[in-house]
Amino acid sequence: MIFYFSGTGNTRWAAEQIAQATGERLLFIPDELKGTCHYELDDDERIGFCFPVHGWQPPHIVRQFIGKLSISPKRPHSQPYVYVVCTCGDSIGRTIEMLQKELAPLALHIDSAFSLVMPESYVCLPFMYTDTPEREHQKIAQAQKELGQYVEMIQNRVKGETHTHRGLTPWTFSHVIGAYFNSRMITDRKFFVDADKCIHCGKCMQVCPTGDLDFRTDETDSDSPLPHWRHDDSCTCCLACYHHCPVHAINYGQITRRRGQYYFGHK
């Protein structure tokens, strides 16, 4: 089985490629969190975790899911093959080590870990932008090549493989910068919509992976329903709503007014 989370589609693409090659179940973490998160593992079934790196750490929603997760193998005391594929715009820091710590209470050990550098989608800091079209195409082409190699290893249950982009100072990025980022900047409080631009298409609500958006009439204009964020801590700040808006009506603070948009497969 493959547990995955994706906002702008990079990780979904990777997870779908793995599922197609292995023939194993593809399970979307936000949907699975609505249930018991208990699973019976088929004989010889692998366990895969696929997700984007958020601030050089596993996303909170992935950690929340693992905290609820329970797995029962058909054969008692059998140890399933466990792998991780994470996507990032540049580097992952100590994401794999942090995930292993989360999995330890479940007696799950990561056998192999991989990362894919994909087009950048986080644009909420002064120094972060979407990639140029040329760089975007380069990243996807390289990721396709690397993923083909990783899928072969996963199919063959190869252990001890670590092909990740940790960066120059992984501990600092994950435990200092990442700790601040994930504790202070994962919020929907800064999202807003430009009412004069919004075309009321509902795309933002459709693509939100956690259901954090709804449409209702604004207090200042009863005839025009606008997107509203729930402010219930369900937002992962994946920016799917921002990137998919066809008229760039959604922003995260003022900084994204002058930033580009990206989602996997866009034209």
Side-chain angles (χ1 to χ4, degrees):
M1 63 185 69
I2 303 168
F3 301 112
Y4 83 100
F5 172 68
S6 184
T8 53
N10 285 335
T11 307
R12 182 178 65 247
W13 164 75
E16 288 174 346
Q17 299 300 305
I18 299 169
Q20 183 176 356
T22 61
E24 292 182 339
R25 293 177 281 175
L26 191 60
L27 304 172
F28 189 44
I29 286 175
D31 291 341
E32 298 306 305
L33 276 168
K34 300 172 185 176
T36 62
C37 299
H38 175 75
Y39 306 89
E40 292 189 0
L41 198 65
D42 293 338
D43 288 339
D44 296 323
E45 188 173 12
R46 308 168 188 84
I47 299 176
F49 295 95
C50 300
F51 55 85
V53 172
H54 284 183
W56 300 279
Q57 293 187 2
H60 173 72
I61 193 170
V62 174
R63 291 175 156 183
Q64 181 184 3
F65 172 72
I66 292 173
K68 292 183 61 178
L69 179 63
S70 66
I71 294 177
S72 301
K74 282 192 174 182
R75 290 179 295 173
H77 310 298
S78 63
Q79 184 63 41
Y81 179 78
V82 179
Y83 65 91
V84 179
V85 176
C86 54
T87 61
C88 62
D90 181 57
S91 62
I92 70 167
R94 289 178 54 84
T95 293
I96 301 303
E97 291 86 346
M98 298 177 83
L99 183 69
Q100 180 58 74
K101 186 176 181 180
E102 301 285 337
L103 292 173
L106 299 173
L108 294 177
H109 175 74
I110 298 172
D111 292 299
S112 287
F114 314 96
S115 69
L116 296 168
V117 175
M118 297 291 287
E120 185 63 69
S121 62
Y122 192 78
V123 292
C124 299
L125 291 173
F127 53 87
M128 303 193 79
Y129 298 83
T130 51
D131 293 306
T132 64
E134 293 78 15
R135 181 61 177 146
E136 181 182 313
H137 295 152
Q138 289 171 1
K139 282 186 173 182
I140 292 175
Q142 181 63 25
Q144 288 175 325
K145 179 181 178 181
E146 292 177 356
L147 184 59
Q149 298 169 350
Y150 301 162
V151 166
E152 185 175 350
M153 296 179 199
I154 292 168
Q155 287 177 306
N156 293 323
R157 294 179 168 81
V158 178
K159 297 183 179 182
E161 294 288 342
T162 302
H163 299 266
T164 57
H165 307 80
R166 287 165 54 88
L168 295 177
T169 55
W171 194 93
T172 299
F173 275 111
S174 289
H175 295 286
V176 180
I177 302 172
Y180 178 85
F181 177 89
N182 283 282
S183 65
R184 301 292 298 273
M185 300 187 68
I186 304 299
T187 174
D188 61 5
R189 298 283 175 178
K190 291 186 177 181
F191 281 112
F192 69 94
V193 60
D194 288 326
D196 58 338
K197 287 186 177 181
C198 181
I199 59 174
H200 321 294
C201 65
K203 184 68 174 178
C204 53
M205 184 172 64
Q206 296 167 15
V207 300
C208 177
T210 63
D212 185 47
L213 276 162
D214 58 22
F215 252 67
R216 58 179 183 265
T217 55
D218 189 83
E219 296 173 355
T220 61
D221 188 349
S222 60
D223 295 327
S224 301
L226 294 171
H228 286 261
W229 289 261
R230 300 182 188 275
H231 304 323
D232 61 359
D233 295 325
S234 63
C235 180
T236 66
C237 225
C238 70
L239 301 183
C241 57
Y242 163 82
H243 286 293
H244 282 84
C245 180
V247 293
H248 209 312
I250 290 176
N251 282 286
Y252 188 85
Q254 297 298 320
I255 194 169
T256 59
R257 286 183 180 275
R258 297 171 295 280
R259 299 294 164 91
Q261 294 171 288
Y262 165 83
Y263 58 88
F264 190 87
H266 77 106
K267 295 182 180 179

